[in-house]
Amino acid sequence: MGLTKTEIFTEEQNRIADLAKAFAHPARVAILQLLIARKACVCGDLVDELELAQATVSQHLKELKRIGIIQGEINPPRVCYCINPPVWEEARQAFGSMLESLESVTCCN
């Protein structure tokens, strides 16, 4: 059996790609911005604030939670979400390190 596409890359490369998925859709960016702006867990319905369908918000929250960049606490009937600080820092360092690694470009000018 052949390798899957992710198996040919390092664990670090796969993790950076996974973290990038958190920022790869405008709805997820909006959710993250909302959570950051609140500086606290958001409990209740994000749908009203984002003006998106419930199914859309749920799908994006599920993906953000899978990546680990947000965490959620279920206390029926409410679910509270907030930024997961250790994973946020992981993303900040991963992207910062990669973006800062380019010192100068000498081609394609």
Side-chain angles (χ1 to χ4, degrees):
M1 184 176 278
L3 295 174
T4 63
K5 291 180 182 180
T6 58
E7 289 175 335
I8 64 172
F9 301 104
T10 67
E11 186 176 325
E12 178 187 27
Q13 290 167 331
N14 281 304
R15 181 60 179 155
I16 291 171
D18 214 22
L19 290 167
K21 289 177 187 175
F23 302 94
H25 193 283
R28 290 195 287 269
V29 171
I31 291 168
L32 292 170
Q33 287 175 325
L34 178 67
L35 295 175
I36 290 166
R38 292 285 178 87
K39 298 180 183 172
C41 287
V42 174
C43 298
D45 200 1
L46 295 171
V47 173
D48 294 335
E49 303 221 22
L50 297 171
E51 299 182 17
L52 296 170
Q54 178 66 54
T56 300
V57 173
S58 293
Q59 184 62 35
H60 289 297
L61 287 169
K62 180 180 175 183
E63 182 66 6
L64 291 169
K65 206 167 172 204
R66 183 196 64 76
I67 293 164
I69 204 153
I70 66 168
Q71 51 195 359
E73 190 173 297
I74 301 171
N75 293 318
R78 303 190 104 173
V79 179
C80 298
Y81 292 100
C82 61
I83 297 293
N84 185 351
V87 177
W88 188 265
E89 181 61 21
E90 176 190 4
R92 191 186 67 74
Q93 288 183 10
F95 297 132
S97 176
M98 189 169 63
L99 293 170
E100 292 171 359
S101 67
L102 180 65
E103 293 180 18
S104 66
V105 176
T106 58
C107 66
C108 304
N109 291 340

